[in-house]
Each structure stands twice: as C-alpha cells, then as structure tokens.
Amino acid sequence: MSSIGTGYDLSVTTFSPDGRVFQIEYAAKAVDNSGTVVGIKCKDGIVIGVEKLIASKMMLPGSNRRIHSVHRHSGMGVAGLAADGRQIVARAKSEAHNYESTYGEPIPIKELADRVASYVHLCTLYWWLRPFGSGVILGGYDRDGPQLYMVEPSGVSYRYFGAAIGKGRQAAKTEIEKLKLSEMTCRQGVIEVAKIIYGVHDEAKDKTFELEMSWVCDESNRQHQKVPEALLEEAKAAAKAALEEMDAD
Amino acid sequence: MDRDATADVNAPHSMGTTIIGVTYNGGVILGADSRTSTGLYVANRASDKITQLTDNVYICRSGSAADSQIVSDYVRYFLHQHTIQLGQPATVKVAANLVRLLSYNNKNMLQTGIIVGGWDKYEGGKIYGIPLGGTILEQPFAIGGSGSSYLYGFFDQAWKEGMTKDEAEQLVVKAVSLAIARDGASGGVVRTVTINSEGVTRNFYPGDTLPLWHDEVEAHDSLLDILNASNPEPMST
C-alpha cells in the first residue's frame, strides 16, 4: 500500500511522476501512528473522544491534554505530533478571536474550519516550511446547529457526522457507522464514544491510555467543555463492561 | 447667530435630517426626509438618505453627507466580500458592527449618525443605532438627525411593540412629517424602505401629501391670481 518515493520525497514542493506529494503523505503517517481521536455529531451536539496513550507512569492524569477549546462554542481534538497540534489550535483560537472582533458574532464553524484548513495547507506550499504532522477533529455548535469537521495535514477539510483519525481509525469508523447518530443525544453519544475508544485500543501493542472526552451540546448550553466527571465515569464503566462482554464470547 | 444671510454655498454638504428606523412584526421600516443643505442653501431637496448595503440590509445616513457616504461605501465593500466568503447573506448585526468599527476608530475625523436596519433569517427584523462617537445599540426603534430632537416625546407616546407593517409605516411617515414641520434642516419628501422576509419595498410620499400640523397653513392661491379671476373675493375662507 505505501511506497517509498525515492528521489521525489525530499521536498514538499516536489511532485512525483504519478502526481503525489510524498512529504504530505509522510506527514499523514505521523497522524496515523498516534492515539485514536473520534468525533461524532449527535442530534443535539458534538462529542469528541481521544485515546491518550500515556508515555510514562509518572505523568499526572489529566496532563498533556489532547482536546482544546478554540472558542466558547467549539473545540478540537488533535492527533499526531503534539507540538504541531498546539500550533494549529493557537491559530484557530486567533482566527476565532479576530473574526469576532471584526464581525461582532462568534465565528461560524464552517468559516473556522476553512481558515484552519487554509493555514494547514499554506504550510505545504513552501520548501522552507514543513507540513504539519498533525490532524484535527473540530467540533462546534453555531447558529446553523452542531457541526463536525476534520482537517488533515494536506489541508483538506470535510464536514462529517462521524470521523476518526489515528491508530484505530479503521475499526473506529466501522463502529461509528453502526450507530444511529441522528436519533442519539450527546449523553448517549458520550457512552458510545467511550466504548469505541476502549474497543479499538490494542492492549498488546500499546501502553496504557487515558480517555479524554469533551462535548458541545444543548445540555452544555452550547459551550465546549470537558464531559462532566460523573458522566465520564459512567461512560468508562460502560465501556469496560462492553469489553468484558466481548471477551466473554 | 446671524452670520452672513447670503447662504454658505461653499459650506460642506450636511444632512440636517430626520432619520428613523422601526421594527414591526415581521421586519423593519426605515424612513427619512430628503433635505441636504450647505449652510442655509438647500443643495438637494430630494435626496435619498436611505442607502443599500446588501440585499437585506439598508442604512439611514445623517450628519456629514461625504462622511456617511464613504462609510457606507466601505461597509458595502466589506459586506460583499464577507457574503462571498460565508456563502450566505450577511446578518444585520455583522453589518452594524462593521459600521460601528469604522465610526469608532475614526471618530476624530468623522461626523456621521447612522441607523442600520434589515432582515436576516436568524434574528428577523433588527434595528441598530450608531450615533456620533461610534456606540452601537440594538433598539426596537431608533431616531437620528437634527429633526429627531422633536420626536423623542412623540415616540414615547406613540410607539408600541409588535405593530403591523401598515401601522409601522404610518407611524414613520407621521413622525418624519412632524419633524419636518419643526426642524428647518429637514424637509422635502418622505422616503421609506420596508425590509422583511419577502424582500425590500421603497415608498415615496411627496411633500404635499403629508398632513398639516399645528399652525401650518394650507396652500393659498396668490393674490395676483385672485385679481385676475372673474369674481375677485378679498380672501377665500
């Protein structure tokens, strides 16, 4: 499936003879090798969940956040190189702030996604920059309702009702497709996302992980926030129970 | 106060003006007089002070004619680009905010009072008043210009929430006409623009169709015409 682009992969401003830009594809590999990030659009909001692989037992739980608030009404889960993801989040926050200062209303999610995508794409156009080694799942709730976008290192951005990036994305996408999202509330969605993340985590290959989740929905007053402690625990418990059920088969 | 009575024809064009914006059940109505003066000379007695920014947002301009035109040109330009980027019509709030930013950030150089009014699918009909310093205030109705001084008491009494389109139109025309009667810097015709979900409608009320108020006299024939008539009466009743 993957090929080495010998000779044509030294610069992001070089095309290969079959029309590929290898540097961008390599950047995408960085995202593919990171912990899974899942986002779903329920009928009343968005839920984002991250499989945060813990590098060291000495890290405090809750540190190294992978989900960031961009504005009151939106947030991003990042996958791939953490530092690169940091920059994307910073840019998104800046764009959201500038838009509101100029136009007097919170930035529409579509516009925010466009601006983030343009910025990521920008960094694939010059030889003296490298592409971002991270992708983001952006979820927000504006006047047109809840919306979910995914931005990849190439700079493409599409709108989704369910999206996943990282190691377990294939399995996660299969699970998401089974859900009836248009009938689900975010409360139920949180449980489902937890189950998916626990389900795709590979105990054998990977270290332990911490589940990080956020939502923006009617229940959270259309503000992006961490999923409340009680609900998070409920979700984790349900996910572990579902795993045992699967193992028991 | 009595400077050279020979009018200041080279003075900057100022719109003495009466401008009004009201919301009603379903949209907004903007109204204005039509007098542009340079000093004591009426440079334009039929000006159109209600200017279009987008398909769904219009503004009433008062103060310096040049300043308000420039501000409206810039905002029209920015809104156009914004609409293209957004892929849908701009909201009234965004239009008003852009006007406010220009008014506020250039307050030392500009002298304009603007009323922004329009209809969008999220908020319906909205009116925003942006007076001299660049404050922005969303209001159920707004009045501005030199003639508005005479209308504060009138609106206190006559305004009510949730009027029909016709009630609101009559209120606006009556108000502008009252201000014209008392304010020397306002006059001419009354123009109105109605904006709602169905679109935009312009109306025009010539000066002689407006009601006469206290002490205003009806138009009389000239004494010379009476002398030439067959039966010269000293004065008609």
Side-chain angles (χ1 to χ4, degrees), chain B residues 117-160:
Chain B
W119 184 95
D120 60 60
K121 71 180 187 205
Y122 298 108
E123 300 279 342
K126 284 285 178 191
I127 294 284
Y128 291 85
I130 304 162
L132 242 45
T135 334
I136 179 170
L137 196 53
E138 198 250 298
Q139 301 165 293
F141 70 89
I143 55 179
S146 56
S148 67
S149 317
Y150 309 102
L151 295 177
Y152 284 96
F154 171 71
F155 269 91
D156 280 348
Q157 196 250 10
W159 163 260
K160 46 187 176 54

Side-chain angles (χ1 to χ4, degrees), chain A residues 93-236:
Chain A
K93 287 180 180 174
S94 168
E95 294 283 1
H97 180 83
N98 282 337
Y99 183 97
E100 183 149 6
S101 296
T102 307
Y103 296 105
E105 58 166 17
I107 185 169
I109 310 299
K110 174 173 187 292
E111 180 66 18
L112 179 60
D114 276 351
R115 291 195 182 195
V116 170
S118 291
Y119 180 61
V120 170
H121 178 239
L122 183 82
C123 299
T124 67
L125 295 174
Y126 303 101
W127 63 266
W128 36 266
L129 283 177
R130 65 164 175 80
F132 280 102
S134 48
V136 301
I137 291 187
L138 163 67
Y141 201 145
D142 67 17
R143 270 196 308 223
D144 296 312
Q147 290 151 71
L148 184 70
Y149 289 87
M150 180 163 87
V151 184
E152 298 169 27
S154 57
V156 301
S157 150
Y158 292 122
R159 188 168 161 189
Y160 295 89
F161 53 79
I165 41 180
K167 280 191 171 71
R169 69 188 176 288
Q170 294 291 44
K173 281 189 230 177
T174 318
E175 289 305 307
I176 294 173
E177 279 169 30
K178 293 182 192 161
L179 301 172
K180 286 206 182 63
L181 291 171
S182 53
E183 293 162 21
M184 201 182 282
T185 63
C186 277
R187 213 151 236 282
Q188 298 162 313
V190 166
I191 314 277
E192 294 303 328
V193 167
K195 285 189 197 162
I196 293 173
I197 302 238
Y198 270 79
V200 305
H201 176 67
D202 192 334
E203 277 300 334
K205 280 204 211 137
D206 292 324
K207 317 143 203 173
T208 47
F209 78 102
E210 190 189 324
L211 174 66
E212 200 180 306
M213 292 222 284
S214 76
W215 66 358
V216 52
C217 56
D218 291 336
E219 202 181 314
S220 75
N221 227 344
R222 302 195 184 184
Q223 311 275 54
H224 179 253
Q225 51 179 228
K226 290 195 325 196
V227 167
E229 200 56 46
L231 182 58
L232 188 61
E233 290 308 312
E234 192 189 320
K236 285 183 187 171

Side-chain angles (χ1 to χ4, degrees), chain B residues 55 194-201:
Chain B
D55 287 343
T194 307
I195 312 172
N196 51 36
S197 59
E198 283 146 38
V200 177
T201 315

Side-chain angles (χ1 to χ4, degrees), chain B residues 21-30 118-119 123-127 139-141 159-172 193-201:
Chain B
V22 313
T23 57
Y24 71 91
N25 182 18
V28 298
I29 305 198
L30 300 176
W119 184 95
E123 300 279 342
K126 284 285 178 191
I127 294 284
Q139 301 165 293
F141 70 89
W159 163 260
K160 46 187 176 54
E161 194 70 46
M163 291 182 283
T164 66
K165 177 155 74 93
D166 291 331
E167 281 177 329
E169 177 107 7
Q170 280 162 31
L171 179 69
V172 168
V193 171
T194 307
I195 312 172
N196 51 36
S197 59
E198 283 146 38
V200 177
T201 315

